[in-house]
Amino acid sequence: MNNRAVLEVIALDAQDAIAARSGGADRLELVTDIAADGLTPSRETFGRIRAAVDIPLRVMLRLADGFLAGDIEELVLAAQGMRAEGADEFVLGFLDAEGNPDLVAVERLVAEIEGCRWTFHRAIDRAADRDALRKRLAELPGLDTYLTAGAPEGVDAGLPVLVAEAEAGRRGAPGYLPQLLVGGGLRLDHLPALRAAGIDAFHIGGAARPGGWEAPVSAEAVRQWRATLDG
């Protein structure tokens, strides 16, 4: 049985992708505009990264900062463009103004990427009711992952929630079957408690870039995470 933990790294370009893959990343999340917390990259960027590495790529579907969907038709066009380039895994997630899941936007995009696996991202950390959100999304096809820190403030604040949700997943509670992918202020010193809770997927962005977001992904930084997870 393979107990290897999943390590997902944010990549902005092919250089990032190659470094992350060299360091031992299992999967990449592709975004642009980190100042807006990650938006949909261009088709050209996706194509260059796909040509550079052979690991799974999850492409962000998000056109503006925040968790409101905005123009759904523009989102659909973005999804269609990425599918035409060969993208087959995605990241998305939208809330309405009250913090409830925006099912109109989410269901429209899920229909557009039919057959693809996807992550509901950290919008869950801003939801009015995390449990209700999970249950409302439980039957959507392709949803296999929640990217979450457990709290808007990050893993430090969200650790008890993450541990509880991991336990709910083990019990098979409705809405808790998708994999927990922990990210958002994640540090190496969080890993022992998270691994002890049975969590086996981790997402890093700034932690892969010791020089800051203006610097590229460091293969050595990713390698340190890989070694710690494997150790």
Side-chain angles (χ1 to χ4, degrees):
M1 182 176 178
N2 183 9
N3 293 318
R4 176 183 169 99
V6 173
L7 179 60
E8 179 181 273
V9 178
I10 294 175
L12 303 178
D13 54 31
Q15 180 183 2
D16 283 350
I18 292 166
R21 175 67 183 89
S22 175
D26 299 291
R27 187 171 72 207
L28 304 178
E29 179 188 87
L30 307 190
V31 305
T32 190
D33 199 350
I34 284 298
D37 283 335
L39 306 181
T40 301
S42 70
R43 292 175 61 171
E44 293 76 15
T45 296
F46 171 82
R48 286 192 290 270
I49 293 174
R50 180 72 289 166
V53 296
D54 59 357
I55 58 177
L57 309 178
R58 293 218 166 178
V59 181
M60 180 66 72
L61 293 175
R62 185 166 176 255
L63 300 180
D65 198 358
F67 299 118
L68 298 177
D71 189 326
I72 296 176
E73 295 307 319
E74 287 295 317
L75 284 166
V76 167
L77 287 174
Q80 290 173 343
M82 287 299 172
R83 290 291 285 134
E85 288 294 326
D88 58 5
E89 299 186 36
F90 293 91
V91 183
L92 60 106
F94 304 103
L95 305 175
D96 64 22
E98 286 72 47
N100 301 309
D102 183 342
L103 292 179
V104 172
V106 172
E107 290 179 352
R108 180 76 186 278
L109 283 180
V110 169
E112 196 61 47
I113 62 171
E114 182 180 6
C116 296
R117 293 177 292 174
W118 59 280
T119 298
F120 191 95
H121 59 52
R122 287 196 63 201
I124 189 175
D125 293 338
R126 299 285 182 178
D129 186 330
R130 300 172 64 94
D131 181 69
L133 180 147
R134 283 174 167 276
K135 288 173 179 172
R136 292 184 72 184
L137 300 181
E139 301 305 317
L140 290 180
L143 173 59
D144 67 358
T145 304
Y146 278 97
L147 170 60
T148 176
E153 302 85 0
V155 174
D156 274 339
L159 188 58
V161 170
L162 296 170
V163 171
E165 291 188 344
E167 173 58 27
R170 281 193 295 276
R171 295 197 314 269
Y176 290 83
L177 294 182
Q179 185 173 48
L180 271 179
L181 174 66
V182 175
L186 179 66
R187 301 189 307 269
L188 286 167
D189 60 274
H190 291 128
L191 295 183
L194 293 168
R195 294 292 276 150
I199 294 169
D200 60 0
F202 303 90
H203 168 97
I204 58 173
R209 301 167 186 269
W213 280 104
E214 297 303 315
V217 166
S218 161
E220 185 53 42
V222 176
R223 196 169 293 117
Q224 183 181 14
W225 280 80
R226 180 79 269 161
T228 302
L229 289 171
D230 292 347

